Amino acid sequence: MSRRVRVDVRGAVQGVGFRPFVYRQAQKLGVSGWVENTAFGVRLEAEGIPDAIATLLRMIREIPPPNASIVSIDVEELNWRGDDGFVIRPSAADGARSAQILPDLATCEDCLRELFDPNDRRYLYPFINCTHCGPRYSIVEDVPYDRARTSMRHFPMCPACRAEYEDPLNRRFHAEPNACPGCGPRIALWNGKGATLAQDHDALLAVADAIRVGQIVAVKGVGGFHLLVDARDEAAVIRLRARKQRPDKPLAVMFPTLKDIARECDVWPVEGSLLSSTARPIVLVRRKEGSIAPAVAPGNPWLGAFLPYAPLHHILMHELGFPVIATSGNLSDEPIATDETEALVRLAGIADRFLVHNRPIIRAIDDSVVRVVCGRELVLRRARGFAPAPIAVDGMRSGTLALGGHMKATIALTLENAVLMSQHIGDLETVAARATHGRTVADMVRMRGQAPRLGVRDLHPDYATSVMAAGMGLPLAGVQHHLAHVVACMAEHGIALPALGVAWDGTGYGIDGTIWGGEFLLITDGGWRRVAHLRTFRLPGGEQAVREPRRSAVGLLYEAFGDDAFAMDEVPLLAAFSHAERAVLQTMLAQGVNAPVTSSMGRLFDGFAALCDLRQHASYEGQAAAEFEWAATEAQTPYEFALCPGARKDAPFVLDWKPALDTLLGDRRCGVAAGAVSAAFHDGLAAAIVSVARRIGERRVVLTGGCFQNVRLTEAAVAALRAAGHEPIWHRRVPPNDGGIALGQAVWAACTEGQLPRMS
Ligand code: ZN
Ligand code: ZN
Ligand code: FE
């Protein structure tokens, strides 16, 4: 009595040692047949006694390889054929492509042991890897995932490597990037002109020497170049900031070990496991007094820390033994450089030396950024280690392509019951960034081997993505920015309708043509409705207000007090403007010229921060709001936000900040510190969310938008909602900022199939 089955395993099952795993189990069980990679995952046929087949199926379900993520297993009964033995077949490359490509994986413990073993043939070899670790997404040119379709195809394996690769019992069996010093990629040290100064381990030692004396070194890693500099050397850090044109924005620090991070920062257990996970993201941890130079993250209680994830980093950090800044190799706002000759040009004048290697990077992938909120991870930037893992979304149909927003852009493509999200691309302010966005779209479509049926864009007419969408030659749907934020969060958690979305951010195009940003949207199966919003005010100078928080403050004062605002000399920020500037501002506000109306919560944060004299000018987006958050002390009596009915019947409620502003002005006159004002402001907003949820009568409340990167606000809102019997929902693996927009766009448009949903 024999049984033969065909098994289709779908999910992230290629490049994780799945076939060898099946092979070994089959050998053990005396099962014959074959296993192969296909364009949708892994397929196998197995025959043997029914007990053995049942055990094999159970093994696949219950103990698959550690990095595999199985979406489905389909078993079909076949007629017995009498195969001899079990084989691993070469890959089939045709047909629809739904195989998932794995994210890049941090070096595993086994490989690390070999890396530092003087008797191993890969001792100190910077490209050591196995079926459980190494580059994946960053080297893949096409699917199925096989060496011939990765950038490792340029390196024919030596006999020793090939023997490992072909031995089903070896842990490098079909490790596609398998390599050794004899046959694999090599590193070299270049000067700024591309002349080779040293090679192999000598190059690495020379880089360590350069970093020790305060030089800036560009290092080609997994998804692109990093700029490295001694994180303890204030002068070197300041030099890096000046050359990179990045005055204040925090820089990430790579530490040799988790212990080294714990010496400089308070690391909670959940943060420790994130830091050590195979994704190895940058994790924001609370810093203590230590050796890190103040210029790394000025005035910031948090430090973006991470651990080595490629063998090259492990060797370098082992050699150095101290923390280094490892920030993206780019000029402010441009995408990360990936190619060494391109890096020479783009990083000229920034890096003193270049540590390069000859394994091509197929796509740029930045480091991911994560922080812990309410005891679990909140991904702020989803890139290396997370992308391109799909987000499971029930009922999704394939073929909808969403282009995302404008800042922190990502793109999304729907599959059956899942959505593929691209890695973080960046702000589309530069030509280079827009080109990367275009390439990412083409890349994603090509890898799926399936043309999209529907394109999705933001409603903003001037976004680069809106222009690109028009050129795609596809039927198009537009999805409102804040609706996309709410839907992204709901999709991530599989939340059923209805729900009240609280979408708070800096800016997003509203359906009335004004700038939205402090929105409450009720989403039901009949569509969506703006049920409340922040009281509007004008932003004198428009976009300039993003760089000058004091302009938001003036806008608030003018809305509240009219022309009298300009007589309030006791408000220090007004004194910061010259008489001429004040006259211009007043005219702008009075006549509504170059002073757009907004309900932006981000700008409300900016305005309050400026009124506390924390920051009048910002060098990066959200700086004032972040500093306002950092200043917050323990709980205070919350500021009051009044919930008022709209002007017309059926108009949205208005959340009025005027009572909070009045209290703030009084507090500041009495010398209340900015930290106490900030705490009262945050807690007041949390209470305001509860009052809107109660008025609307909705139990489920979704917290989304860039403002919910703020841990103080999110934790206060979650606690207040829970205390009032509501069910708060907030982000986890999908960013609350505009990095999540593409997912929300794709899901909403796919669900409504391009029909513009009912809006009011
Ligand atoms: Zn390994
Ligand atoms: Zn070799
Ligand atoms: Fe947004």
Side-chain angles (χ1 to χ4, degrees):
M1 240 289 273
S2 256
R3 180 184 177 198
R4 184 181 181 93
V5 289
R6 173 185 296 157
V7 186
D8 283 328
V9 187
R10 288 164 206 269
V13 288
Q14 294 182 7
V16 293
F18 205 91
R19 290 174 303 165
F21 159 77
V22 172
Y23 176 91
R24 281 192 296 269
Q25 301 300 331
Q27 293 282 334
K28 249 188 267 173
L29 295 163
V31 166
S32 54
W34 49 263
V35 59
E36 68 180 7
N37 273 348
T38 65
F40 61 77
V42 165
R43 168 174 285 184
L44 59 113
E45 287 191 13
E47 65 177 40
I49 57 168
D51 269 1
I53 297 295
T55 306
L56 178 65
L57 292 176
R58 205 177 60 237
M59 296 295 190
I60 292 173
R61 281 202 180 91
E62 292 174 4
I63 51 154
N67 290 309
S69 134
I70 296 174
V71 173
S72 69
I73 300 175
D74 293 321
V75 181
E76 189 187 340
E77 301 293 333
L78 302 176
N79 289 327
W80 183 74
R81 282 193 13 202
D83 283 353
D84 254 349
F86 199 91
V87 294
I88 296 179
R89 284 199 188 171
S91 302
D94 45 305
R97 303 160 166 211
S98 57
Q100 290 166 19
I101 299 158
L102 228 53
D104 300 291
L105 305 169
T107 311
C108 74
E109 289 301 321
D110 288 336
C111 285
L112 278 182
R113 238 187 321 275
E114 289 180 7
L115 184 62
F116 291 109
D117 174 3
N119 297 315
D120 194 272
R121 71 187 187 95
R122 292 188 180 85
Y123 178 52
L124 301 181
Y125 178 56
F127 300 93
I128 188 171
N129 67 84
C130 72
T131 45
H132 299 303
C133 75
R136 297 288 186 273
Y137 190 41
S138 62
I139 60 165
V140 172
E141 294 171 337
D142 206 347
V143 290
Y145 175 66
D146 248 331
R147 190 176 180 100
R149 282 170 286 268
T150 69
S151 62
M152 283 302 292
R153 68 190 164 85
H154 306 288
F155 303 93
M157 274 182 279
C158 69
C161 286
R162 179 155 293 282
E164 294 167 337
Y165 183 86
E166 288 174 352
D167 173 8
L169 298 176
N170 192 287
R171 68 184 189 86
R172 296 203 165 85
F173 177 73
H174 274 271
E176 306 303 344
N178 190 28
C180 77
C183 67
R186 297 174 67 180
I187 56 172
L189 180 68
W190 287 1
N191 67 12
K193 294 194 171 71
T196 302
L197 304 177
Q199 271 197 303
D200 303 329
H201 196 55
D202 289 342
L204 200 129
L205 294 177
V207 164
D209 284 340
I211 291 173
R212 284 191 195 101
V213 299
Q215 288 199 318
I216 299 168
V217 185
V219 176
K220 185 177 174 185
V222 172
F225 274 83
H226 277 134
L227 291 164
L228 264 56
V229 78
D230 185 346
R232 306 162 308 169
D233 185 339
E234 179 81 351
V237 177
I238 289 170
R239 195 156 54 238
L240 172 66
R241 285 199 176 280
R243 293 190 192 171
K244 208 172 132 86
Q245 296 169 33
R246 180 162 159 154
D248 306 310
K249 207 172 174 184
L251 298 163
V253 177
M254 186 182 275
F255 289 78
T257 66
L258 190 56
K259 267 202 185 109
D260 295 308
I261 302 182
R263 240 193 309 278
E264 302 269 351
C265 308
D266 273 326
V267 181
W268 295 358
V270 54
E271 292 162 340
S273 43
L274 284 166
L275 284 162
S276 317
S277 66
T278 46
R280 295 266 160 136
I282 294 169
V283 181
L284 303 187
V285 282
R286 277 191 183 277
R287 65 203 278 193
K288 303 189 282 209
E289 286 298 311
S291 63
I292 302 296
V296 170
N300 191 338
W302 301 88
L303 185 70
F306 64 140
L307 289 171
Y309 52 85
L312 178 61
H313 302 143
H314 280 287
I315 306 169
L316 184 59
M317 296 310 290
H318 185 78
E319 174 65 28
L320 287 172
F322 59 79
V324 295
I325 284 178
T327 184
S328 316
N330 58 3
L331 202 59
S332 260
D333 298 334
E334 285 194 351
I336 186 167
T338 54
D339 176 82
E340 43 274 14
T341 43
E342 174 206 345
L344 279 184
V345 178
R346 286 182 45 202
L347 304 180
I350 302 181
D352 300 305
R353 291 281 182 270
F354 293 79
L355 184 66
V356 301
H357 61 71
N358 55 348
R359 183 180 73 201
I361 295 173
I362 301 306
R363 55 186 67 71
I365 307 171
D366 285 274
D367 295 315
S368 294
V369 182
V370 176
R371 84 186 310 179
V372 171
V373 172
C374 302
R376 71 173 197 215
E377 80 271 28
L378 175 72
V379 172
L380 302 178
R381 182 162 82 196
R382 191 177 174 279
R384 180 187 49 75
F386 295 109
I391 313 284
V393 183
D394 276 352
M396 213 29 42
R397 285 180 46 198
S398 65
T400 299
L401 172 68
L403 296 186
H406 189 74
M407 307 296 278
K408 299 181 170 67
T410 57
I411 61 168
L413 181 64
T414 63
L415 314 173
E416 298 295 326
N417 295 320
V419 182
L420 208 54
M421 264 181 86
S422 79
Q423 66 278 22
H424 162 91
I425 298 164
D427 300 347
L428 304 181
E429 290 288 302
T430 61
V431 175
R434 290 194 284 272
T436 302
H437 184 276
R439 269 200 307 278
T440 308
V441 170
D443 183 36
M444 208 173 238
V445 168
R446 191 179 48 82
M447 298 276 265
R448 302 311 301 179
Q450 211 175 42
R453 295 175 289 113
L454 176 68
V456 196
R457 47 161 283 196
D458 191 272
L459 298 181
H460 200 303
D462 302 330
Y463 276 4
T465 44
S466 299
V467 178
M468 282 183 230
M472 288 199 305
L474 286 178
L476 287 183
V479 176
Q480 200 278 327
H481 187 97
H482 301 94
L483 173 64
H485 272 307
V486 179
V487 174
C489 190
M490 294 176 73
E492 173 182 12
H493 296 297
I495 302 302
L497 298 166
L500 174 66
V502 182
W504 289 357
D505 63 4
T507 168
Y509 197 82
I511 54 172
D512 57 2
T514 68
I515 304 169
W516 289 11
E519 310 309 312
F520 296 86
L521 310 178
L522 182 64
I523 305 182
T524 64
D525 44 19
W528 67 283
R529 203 155 55 87
R530 187 191 199 197
V531 289
H533 61 78
L534 196 64
R535 177 174 174 184
T536 57
F537 53 101
R538 285 188 183 275
L539 290 176
E543 277 293 292
Q544 240 179 309
V546 176
R547 289 181 299 276
E548 286 182 48
R550 59 182 188 164
R551 286 175 183 266
S552 294
V554 172
L556 291 169
L557 293 174
Y558 190 84
E559 170 68 19
F561 307 110
D563 286 322
D564 290 348
F566 287 89
M568 299 170 71
D569 258 348
E570 74 271 32
V571 182
L573 88 100
L574 283 171
F577 288 105
S578 70
H579 267 289
E581 283 173 324
R582 286 161 72 163
V584 173
L585 287 171
Q586 198 164 0
T587 311
M588 278 178 172
L589 288 163
Q591 299 178 357
V593 176
N594 191 20
V597 170
T598 187
S599 56
S600 167
M601 183 57 76
R603 297 294 89 82
L604 187 76
F605 267 86
D606 282 358
F608 273 59
L611 286 167
C612 288
D613 211 16
L614 275 178
R615 179 159 294 277
Q616 314 296 356
H617 297 266
S619 76
Y620 62 92
E621 198 227 345
Q623 183 179 15
E627 289 172 350
F628 196 43
E629 173 193 351
W630 302 336
T633 59
E634 293 301 299
Q636 303 285 324
T637 310
Y639 280 179
E640 191 196 339
F641 291 83
L643 189 59
C644 316
R648 289 165 290 108
K649 192 173 168 287
D650 293 337
F653 287 99
V654 173
L655 187 64
D656 189 359
W657 38 261
K658 172 80 165 40
L661 180 70
D662 287 336
T663 318
L664 168 133
L665 293 172
D667 280 354
R668 290 297 286 172
R669 272 178 211 122
C670 303
V672 173
V677 170
S678 172
F681 177 78
H682 280 85
D683 294 340
L685 285 175
I689 292 173
V690 174
S691 70
V692 175
R694 187 174 296 148
R695 183 69 67 93
I696 301 303
E698 187 47 62
R699 196 173 63 86
R700 268 191 295 261
V701 181
V702 177
L703 307 172
T704 186
C707 293
F708 290 99
Q709 300 176 99
N710 177 326
V711 58
R712 181 69 156 85
L713 175 66
T714 309
E715 291 186 343
V718 166
L721 284 164
R722 280 186 178 149
H726 293 271
E727 182 193 347
I729 294 139
W730 68 100
H731 287 266
R732 181 169 198 162
R733 288 296 182 95
V734 173
N737 58 47
D738 285 7
I741 287 288
L743 174 68
Q745 288 176 338
V747 170
W748 185 263
C751 291
T752 55
E753 276 301 312
Q755 298 301 303
L756 223 51
R758 187 172 60 81
M759 298 191 274
S760 55

